Amino acid sequence: MNRIQCLVVDDEPIARDIIRNYCSHLPILNVIADCGNAFEAKVILQQQQTDILFLDIHMPVLDGIGFLKTLKNVPQVIFTTAYKEYAVNAFDLAACDYLVKPFSLERFMVAVDKALERLSQPVKPVIEHTLRNTDEHFFIKAEGKIYNLRYDELLFAEAKGNYTKVVTLSCAILPVISFSAFEELLPAELFIRVHRSFIVNRSKITHIEGNTVYIQKNEIPIGNNYKDAFLKALGL
């Protein structure tokens, strides 16, 4: 049996112990480490394969949501927190589940099952989402319709969980396609990744100020991990 490698990140030792204990009831789970802050966790993630990340939100210096935004290769994330109000932000970052403390073993098992289901799903080929690509445009399915999108009309794309929000000059659509799969549809010479959750059309950039890209009235953040490559791609 291939065990699922888990990392627990929480600044409260008791909370880490509870999750470790819950994991011990499920033989498929193996806790590779537990950490009290995001910086310790980042080292572990860089060194060891991690399938599931149990992540607290309120932690010193760098909170869980901020930490998740810094990661490039993201495991399945299950947030474990005492605060309900961050659930929308968590699912915008494609979190697998959101557990509000104190949570039961039964609720924990439901969250793990969701993560295991995602881990077992094969990557769907892009052909399921796109019908035909040309040098100027492509077709994509969204909301029961088929859209013909021209590259020169696409402003930017934003990750939205299992969806990708696509914003054009005339509309915004939400196709069921992962952000990484959508990125593969775009010609690299026209589109640039500026953030873990954003790709922009370089020709539509109005201006750049600080860590923000402006495209018409839209303000798009520039991620710290992407800024140097972004500016270099612009010749700056």
Side-chain angles (χ1 to χ4, degrees):
M1 178 178 65
N2 293 325
R3 303 186 72 188
I4 302 300
Q5 307 304 311
C6 305
L7 175 62
V8 181
V9 186
D10 197 306
D11 63 330
E12 298 180 0
I14 294 177
R16 298 199 300 271
D17 289 343
I18 289 173
I19 296 175
R20 269 192 173 275
N21 179 51
Y22 282 178
C23 287
S24 70
H25 292 283
L26 302 173
I28 196 172
L29 302 183
N30 176 49
V31 178
I32 57 176
D34 61 68
C35 306
N37 61 65
F39 304 100
E40 294 176 5
K42 195 170 185 68
V43 173
I44 298 297
L45 288 170
Q46 290 171 340
Q47 295 176 344
Q48 299 190 52
Q49 169 65 33
T50 304
D51 301 306
I52 299 178
L53 175 62
F54 296 101
L55 183 60
D56 187 23
I57 290 182
H58 273 260
M59 296 187 294
V61 186
L62 182 62
D63 66 29
I65 288 178
F67 170 56
L68 184 55
K69 291 178 179 179
T70 71
L71 301 180
K72 291 184 179 180
N73 299 314
V74 183
Q76 296 301 321
V77 177
I78 298 175
F79 277 104
T80 58
T81 177
Y83 301 87
K84 298 179 180 179
E85 59 266 31
Y86 298 100
V88 173
N89 289 337
F91 286 115
D92 275 350
L93 292 171
C96 186
D97 208 340
Y98 191 93
L99 301 180
V100 179
K101 301 173 183 176
F103 48 86
S104 66
L105 175 59
E106 291 80 6
R107 181 65 182 87
F108 175 83
M109 292 172 66
V110 169
V112 170
D113 283 344
K114 290 180 181 179
L116 295 178
E117 182 177 358
R118 285 194 183 186
L119 288 168
S120 66
Q121 289 175 349
V123 177
K124 295 182 179 180
V126 172
I127 193 172
E128 293 190 9
H129 303 287
T130 58
L131 302 179
R132 176 172 172 261
N133 289 354
T134 73
D135 291 339
E136 297 181 350
H137 67 98
F138 64 101
F139 290 88
I140 194 164
K141 298 177 181 179
E143 303 154 359
K145 301 177 183 179
I146 297 174
Y147 290 85
N148 180 7
L149 300 183
R150 290 181 57 88
Y151 292 120
D152 60 4
E153 293 182 348
L154 202 162
L155 301 180
F156 66 91
E158 179 183 359
K160 288 287 186 181
N162 293 327
Y163 297 78
T164 297
K165 181 180 179 182
V166 181
V167 179
T168 74
L169 289 169
S170 59
C171 67
I173 61 175
L174 204 65
V176 185
I177 182 173
S178 71
F179 193 56
S180 59
F182 184 78
E183 184 178 19
E184 292 178 3
L185 302 178
L186 306 176
E189 65 272 17
L190 300 179
F191 294 88
I192 307 175
R193 185 84 165 259
V194 299
H195 186 277
R196 179 179 176 273
S197 300
F198 287 93
I199 300 168
V200 303
N201 185 336
R202 61 190 300 163
S203 70
K204 302 302 181 183
I205 296 173
T206 306
H207 69 281
I208 302 166
E209 184 176 347
N211 289 323
T212 303
V213 175
Y214 292 83
I215 297 181
Q216 297 186 352
K217 296 181 180 179
N218 302 285
E219 298 182 11
I220 299 166
I222 302 173
N224 290 333
N225 292 339
Y226 296 88
K227 188 170 185 178
D228 289 345
F230 169 51
L231 295 177
K232 183 177 180 181
L234 297 181
L236 301 174

